[in-house]
Amino acid sequence: MEYGNSTENGIGKSNGIGNGHGIGNGYVNGHGICNGHGNGHGIGNGHGNDNGYVNGNGKVNGEKMKKMKPMDSEMLREQGHIMVDFIADYYKNLEDSPQDFPVLSQVQPGYLRDILPDSAPDHPEPLKELLHDVSKKIIPGLTHWQSPSYFAYYASSTSVAGFLGEMLNAGLSVVGFTWLTSPAATELEVIVLDWLAKLLQLPDHFLSTGRGGGVIQGTGCEAVLVVVLAARDRIMKKAGKNSLSQLVVYASDQTHSSFRKACLIGGIHEENIRLLKTDSSTNYGMPPKSLEEAISSDLAKGFIPFFICATVGTTSSAAVDPLVPLGKIAKSYGIWMHVDAAYAGNACICPEFRKHIDGVENADSFNINAHKWLFANQTCSPLWVKDRYSLIDALKTNPEYLEYKVSKRDEVVNYKDWQISLSRRFRSLKLWMVLRLYGAENLRNFIRDHVNLAKHFEDYVAQDAHFEVVTTRYFSLVCFRLAPVDGDEDKCNERNRELLATVNSTGKIFISHTALSGKFILRFAVGAPLTEEKHVTEAWRIIQKHATKFIHNKKF
């Protein structure tokens, strides 16, 4: 990608990055000369004739330069166009020239330190030079999550609407930790999360019109942390301040690792974190019987069960915990149940997938990651709670410098009391733009397309006797592997490890792995916005090609 071709429009002329526009208006970035009858604008070292000015080091009309401003509207207009072109070209090249963008970065650790200066520059550098370094030095060190051949982990979905929302967010740059600091930032978040709750058909107690409501956390990890803290404080008000060592939490052994971290941050003793074993008999969902037995056993020993984390779409295999029976157990014992639907919850805006969160009416909290599969760009993790006061009471802070008078407690929302940090971005802006610029039906169809592509890949696997599908596919993740030979699981694991490394080393596709019941499993997750059927077909061709040597090498 090259940036710096100048064009001449009218009388004005631009030498440098960008274009000269109109009669007498030349725009220059970097070291260059702007000649025109009118206004010349430059960044860096340059000289303008007539009414020109330069942001950088240099002189205009023989006089001392104008002081550089961190935010200059004309500089933003000019350089913003250049940056949008750069990013648009990046996405175009991901599609048109995939050979130039290995999906999994092929650099070695420490590569960047050897090619960048060891200290920051004292003076401004041209944007052209910076973007050249991005192209030549930064992009080779990226794993291209937006590549159409990215099939690892879960996608971090982006979109034009999400990007525009991020741009507007960055441009307005407001900080909405209380209603007063930016009323629109707070009120839009309340409204948009009610919209999304209705698309998901969440129960009314999660809406802002009742005792509950929604808040956008940065990530699912943050969402799980704040509800663990809320549930902990709620139970300690009943059991006493000295009861922390007795508190017990429950989840399956497939629950995201952030759950354990959240519990440890919340002071829960590690030995009191119960991760219940799952297996293929329940397709790696949490067994309700095991949960009830664990709770009964802990109660008999004097422990205090207070939190259950259920998952819809586990990280390893997109397993779905049975919310209906788990919710009934939680309700019968008065235990807070959280539903972590970070990945798969997004799909539940489609009527055909909504069944996977049946039983959410008995949950105390529920979250999804809209940046995973709802095209909202990083980071955007909506969280809904049944009782917002449990959250607020656990997290509120009231320093004098943030005080302002309202007539009623519920008159305004102060989102600082719904999260860990004080500062917060205007994240609802991009979610609002995604919902409005695409509409619910288009979003549903985007998700359906990805699910159909995953089914397409699953069919390829099922038709090859050398491979096997390992778990039931619910959404757009396929768990598969080279099948064992003569029942030898150890050799089978080694063959699949080697296949994964070989396939990823090509740079043509990127897949990831997990372990289920001691088996090394390959994961193929569809979710990148640019992925089409041809990319799935090519990925399978690459996997088959490199599997050949392991299939025919009986000694391996």
Side-chain angles (χ1 to χ4, degrees), residues 506-531:
T506 67
K508 294 179 179 179
I509 64 170
F510 181 30
I511 59 176
S512 56
H513 76 282
T514 191
L516 294 171
S517 301
K519 301 174 182 178
F520 188 91
I521 307 298
L522 305 179
R523 298 172 73 262
F524 189 91
V526 180
L530 297 176
T531 301

Side-chain angles (χ1 to χ4, degrees), residues 264-520:
L264 295 178
I265 292 172
I268 308 304
H269 293 202
E270 184 155 21
E271 60 269 24
N272 291 355
I273 301 174
R274 310 279 189 255
L275 299 181
L276 306 177
K277 186 177 180 180
T278 62
D279 58 37
S280 58
S281 67
T282 60
N283 206 37
Y284 299 97
M286 188 194 303
K289 183 179 179 181
S290 297
L291 174 63
E292 187 136 37
E293 288 173 351
I295 292 172
S296 297
S297 175
D298 283 327
L299 286 170
K301 295 173 184 176
F303 288 107
I304 304 173
F306 83 100
F307 192 91
I308 298 167
C309 185
T311 306
V312 175
T314 59
T315 304
S316 283
S317 65
V320 176
D321 289 340
L323 300 189
V324 172
L326 295 180
K328 289 179 180 178
I329 293 169
K331 191 173 182 178
S332 67
Y333 288 100
I335 299 173
W336 185 302
M337 185 172 86
H338 174 67
V339 177
D340 178 6
Y343 157 66
N346 296 278
C348 295
I349 67 170
C350 301
E352 64 267 36
F353 298 121
R354 173 57 177 76
K355 62 186 178 183
H356 295 298
I357 58 171
D358 285 351
V360 71
E361 59 272 11
N362 287 324
D364 294 271
S365 50
F366 175 86
N367 81 278
I368 66 172
N369 283 356
H371 57 255
K372 269 195 171 69
W373 208 6
L374 209 58
F375 310 96
N377 292 41
Q378 287 276 355
T379 53
C380 185
S381 183
L383 165 70
W384 291 269
V385 290
K386 183 177 181 179
D387 178 8
R388 61 177 172 269
Y389 301 110
S390 295
L391 194 61
I392 293 169
D393 290 345
L395 301 172
K396 67 183 176 185
T397 54
N398 295 301
E400 180 61 32
Y401 51 81
L402 295 180
E403 282 293 327
Y404 63 97
K405 291 183 178 180
V406 292
S407 59
K408 297 178 182 178
R409 182 185 187 188
D410 291 329
E411 189 173 15
V412 298
V413 171
N414 292 319
Y415 274 128
K416 71 179 180 62
D417 297 331
W418 298 50
Q419 61 179 33
I420 299 299
S421 64
L422 174 63
S423 294
R424 65 194 325 268
R425 303 183 72 230
F426 195 173
R427 291 191 180 101
S428 60
L429 198 58
K430 63 182 173 183
L431 190 53
W432 184 55
M433 292 181 70
V434 166
L435 292 172
R436 289 192 62 187
L437 294 179
Y438 294 134
E441 196 54 36
N442 273 324
L443 292 172
R444 294 184 185 106
N445 288 333
F446 294 158
I447 290 168
R448 288 168 178 144
D449 285 347
H450 288 161
V451 173
N452 288 334
L453 289 175
K455 184 181 185 306
H456 194 63
F457 182 83
E458 182 183 43
D459 291 340
Y460 280 138
V461 175
Q463 292 164 13
D464 190 322
H466 299 294
F467 287 85
E468 63 179 2
V469 176
V470 179
T471 61
T472 300
R473 179 192 55 76
Y474 293 124
F475 305 103
S476 67
L477 171 69
V478 180
C479 291
F480 72 108
R481 64 171 182 165
L482 275 168
V485 177
D486 300 326
D488 193 327
E489 288 291 345
D490 289 337
K491 285 186 178 180
C492 182
N493 287 342
E494 286 304 310
R495 292 165 74 215
N496 281 286
R497 283 193 188 93
E498 187 64 22
L499 176 59
L500 177 75
T502 302
V503 166
N504 285 341
S505 69
T506 67
K508 294 179 179 179
I509 64 170
F510 181 30
I511 59 176
S512 56
H513 76 282
T514 191
L516 294 171
S517 301
K519 301 174 182 178
F520 188 91

